[in-house]
């Protein structure tokens, strides 16, 4: 619950920095727009990472900021470790990661708001409130009515991006299967944990 969604922030920050590093300047105003846009996204995704942890652990503001800055510095280091000859691939991976990091939040949140499905933990005293998952219950902004689909599952699933790392870092080629295994295990752990704490049904996490 506390750390399962962090891959979203990792991928978002890495991809935004990758977009900044691999951008070929044209000398036009579009250069400034690109820099400002992905600079903002870098800070935004790092902030999301810090807040995702803070919401579930109640850490103080200073530690939250440390996590934000740490995310940016760590991803900066990783991006600069990519060999220059692989910058073409880095650009493609960064585009995929940027779209995925934004879509995982935007698409899921919009569906949640219009689906209006009550969480399991909120209906335990009155199971008559249960309704089939495939029947939307109407628009809501109440978090307890945003059970479907599961944000934790979507955000944790962004970890699948690590399977692209061997393309960027040739020395990791021997670890391809390990990256797939870690991705699957991480996603499953997050999905199952959300059911265990009563925040979601199996249909939500699926």
């Amino acid at each position: 619950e506390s750390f399962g969604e962090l891959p979203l922030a990792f991928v978002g920050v890495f991809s935004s920095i990758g977009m900044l590093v691999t951008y070929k300047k044209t000398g036009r105003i579009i250069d400034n727009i690109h820099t400002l846009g992905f600079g903002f996204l870098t800070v935004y995704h790092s902030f999301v990472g810090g807040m995702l942890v803070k919401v579930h652990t109640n850490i103080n503001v200073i530690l939250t900021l440390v996590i934000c800055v740490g995310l940016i510095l760590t991803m900066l280091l990783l991006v600069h470790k990519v060999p220059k000859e692989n910058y073409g691939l880095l650009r493609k991976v960064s585009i995929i990661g940027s779209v995925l990091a934004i879509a995982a939040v935007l698409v899921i949140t919009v569906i949640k708001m219009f689906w209006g499905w009550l969480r399991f933990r909120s209906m335990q005293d009155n199971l008559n409130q249960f309704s089939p998952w495939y029947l939307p219950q109407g628009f809501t902004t109440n978090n307890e009515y945003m059970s479907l689909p599961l944000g934790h599952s979507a955000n944790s699933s962004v970890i699948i991006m690590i399977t692209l790392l061997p393309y960027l870092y040739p020395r990791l080629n021997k670890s391809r299967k390990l990256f797939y295994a870690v991705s699957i295990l991480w996603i499953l752990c997050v999905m199952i944990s959300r059911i265990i704490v009563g925040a979601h049904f199996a249909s939500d996490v699926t």
Side-chain angles (χ1 to χ4, degrees):
E1 181 174 66
S2 301
F3 307 103
E5 299 180 278
L6 279 178
L8 175 76
F10 292 152
V11 170
V13 175
F14 180 90
S15 299
S16 296
I17 294 174
M19 292 296 287
L20 287 170
V21 170
T22 59
Y23 180 70
K24 295 180 180 179
K25 293 187 176 181
T26 62
R28 296 180 295 174
I29 193 169
I30 190 71
D31 295 351
N32 296 326
I33 295 173
H34 183 279
T35 301
L36 286 173
F38 284 100
F40 169 78
L41 284 176
T42 299
V43 175
Y44 164 76
H45 287 303
S46 69
F47 177 75
V48 167
M51 291 307 296
L52 285 173
V53 176
K54 179 175 173 53
V55 166
H56 298 294
T57 60
N58 292 317
I59 58 176
N60 60 43
V61 176
I62 294 176
L63 192 50
T64 303
L65 290 175
V66 168
I67 292 173
C68 295
V69 174
L71 262 173
I72 293 176
L73 293 177
T74 301
M75 294 304 130
L76 263 173
L77 180 63
L78 284 177
V79 167
H80 284 289
K81 287 289 184 180
V82 176
K84 286 287 197 314
E85 60 268 24
N86 285 348
Y87 268 27
L89 281 172
L90 174 60
R91 182 74 178 177
K92 293 178 181 178
V93 169
S94 297
I95 291 172
I96 295 170
S98 295
V99 172
L100 192 58
I102 294 172
V105 175
L106 187 60
V107 174
I108 296 298
T109 301
V110 170
I111 296 175
K112 277 175 175 286
M113 291 173 70
F114 283 92
W115 216 265
W117 210 38
L118 187 62
R119 295 177 185 273
F120 174 68
R121 67 190 176 202
S122 295
M123 66 173 70
Q124 289 183 47
D125 294 330
N126 183 9
L127 293 180
N128 290 325
Q129 294 175 294
F130 176 82
S131 61
W133 68 268
Y134 50 82
L135 296 178
Q137 299 300 301
F139 182 82
T140 183
T141 55
N142 184 340
N143 185 55
E144 287 306 303
Y145 283 85
M146 292 184 176
S147 185
L148 180 79
L150 175 59
H152 269 75
S153 274
N155 295 344
S156 67
S157 294
V158 177
I159 196 175
I160 200 72
M161 285 291 295
I162 68 171
T163 61
L164 297 180
L165 291 180
Y167 294 100
L168 300 178
Y169 307 96
R171 68 178 70 176
L172 298 178
N173 274 323
K174 295 180 180 178
S175 303
R176 286 181 186 274
K177 291 182 179 179
L178 176 62
F179 286 124
Y180 277 100
V182 169
S183 297
I184 293 170
L185 184 61
W186 186 277
I187 295 168
L188 286 175
C189 283
V190 172
M191 292 168 69
I192 294 170
S193 72
R194 298 303 282 159
I195 297 173
I196 290 174
V197 300
H200 293 275
F201 291 92
S203 52
D204 302 343
V205 303
T206 304

